[in-house]
Amino acid sequence: MTGALTLEIQQLLKPELDELFEDLGHDLVVVRGGSSTAWNQSSDPGADINVRGLLMPASQRRRAGTPAGLPVPDWVAYLPYTPDLGTPGWHLFHEGRAYYPSGDAEDPGGQGVVWIVPLRSPGEVTSGPSEPGWTG
């Protein structure tokens, strides 16, 4: 993420995304660690992080494009890029509801501009107590 083209993309897109997040975004909380489950192996829970990002229903295209056997996302979060969000072991909290990633956070093209995170529906029931705050 240090090449000339990457730096140019960051300079062009980050201000636009910051404005989009500010105008249309949601106040989200990134909750790190705080669980001893196998799903969340973060040994350092750290502090919660307040971010301004977009929380949107997953598109039909994204749902249909999910490989067989993987959880189908119901929501997608677009978050400002910070390197620490590339480490698993966190979930989002918004308006009293927890949203857990159903897959890895994506940094499209490795450009360090935005994280795209597929999310399950809040309160979704699983087949076991593998995710914190869910019932099984």
Side-chain angles (χ1 to χ4, degrees), residues 1 3 5-7 9-10 13-14 81 107-114:
M1 289 192 303
L5 181 58
T6 296
L7 294 174
I9 289 171
Q10 290 174 346
L13 292 180
K14 278 192 171 192
Y81 183 88
D107 172 17
Q111 300 301 312
V113 176
V114 66

Side-chain angles (χ1 to χ4, degrees), residues 28-86:
L28 306 170
V29 178
V30 175
V31 180
R32 292 195 261 177
S35 172
S36 60
T37 66
W39 177 81
N40 182 345
Q41 298 180 5
S42 174
S43 59
D44 178 16
D48 294 348
I49 303 169
N50 295 311
V51 298
R52 185 88 175 157
L54 291 173
L55 181 61
M56 302 173 61
S59 68
Q60 290 290 22
R61 182 176 166 188
R62 181 175 277 272
R63 291 178 194 190
T66 302
L70 294 179
V72 177
D74 288 322
W75 296 87
V76 176
Y78 298 86
L79 306 172
Y81 183 88
T82 59
D84 57 339
L85 294 183

Side-chain angles (χ1 to χ4, degrees), residues 2 20 34 42 49 51 53 58 65 67-68 81 84 104 109 114-115 124 126 132 135:
T2 58
L20 177 71
S42 174
I49 303 169
V51 298
Y81 183 88
D84 57 339
D104 292 337
V114 66
W115 286 114
E124 181 176 345
T126 66
T135 58

